[in-house]
Amino acid sequence: MPASSDSSSTSEVASATVSYNRRDLIVYALGVGCTDLRHVYEGADDFAAFPLFPAVLLHKGTSFDVVDFPSPTLLRLASSGLALPGARALLDAERYIERVRDVPSAEGAHTLTYQSRLLGVVPKRNGALIHTAGELFDGGGALLYRMRASAYALGATGV
């Protein structure tokens, strides 16, 4: 998969494979309270993933079963190149998601690649603010989504 040409990249790219099927799309849509048939009924002529669905793909990775939190996929990406001594908890601070193309919603399992990079770490009085960027690609290398996230590492020192 091509790495982003975004000039704000400050670290190496870490990759993860994620998979899903139509059932995952429907369960997610129902879980967020969607009642629009195009997101909750696979027989709809315009069936499609709920637009925010890709934000949860790292939580499931390639498993089609229940996974622990944090998932092995999240742990692998989080541990790639970043040491946070003293961190007691990681708190979600902010998310941004941009849909470039819809994720595939045809019958069967779909496998995508998520690439993530560290943009920066900002020391704070009681921890550190971590900024990351990621991109989601289909099997042919086409960009589907861009995502940015910030998290607060409570108690992190020496960053």
Side-chain angles (χ1 to χ4, degrees), residues 6 18 34 48 54 67 104 113 115 117 124 135 139 155:
D6 185 351
V18 295
C34 180
V67 294
T113 301
Q115 293 183 344
R117 67 187 177 285
K124 296 291 184 179
E135 294 177 320

Side-chain angles (χ1 to χ4, degrees), residues 18-41:
V18 295
S19 300
Y20 66 95
N21 58 31
R22 292 176 117 183
R23 180 195 64 227
D24 295 320
L25 298 177
I26 293 167
V27 168
Y28 178 80
L30 290 170
V32 297
C34 180
T35 58
D36 186 336
L37 286 181
R38 69 183 165 156
H39 299 303
V40 298
Y41 174 56

Side-chain angles (χ1 to χ4, degrees), residues 63-106:
S63 176
F64 286 100
D65 200 354
V66 177
V67 294
D68 290 336
F69 181 80
S71 71
T73 303
L74 273 176
L75 288 174
R76 190 174 65 255
L77 280 176
S79 65
S80 59
L82 180 61
L84 296 169
R88 297 186 307 275
L90 197 59
L91 309 172
D92 201 24
E94 182 177 41
R95 299 243 171 221
Y96 165 82
I97 185 166
E98 175 189 349
R99 179 177 58 188
V100 177
R101 290 184 183 86
D102 290 333
V103 294
S105 59

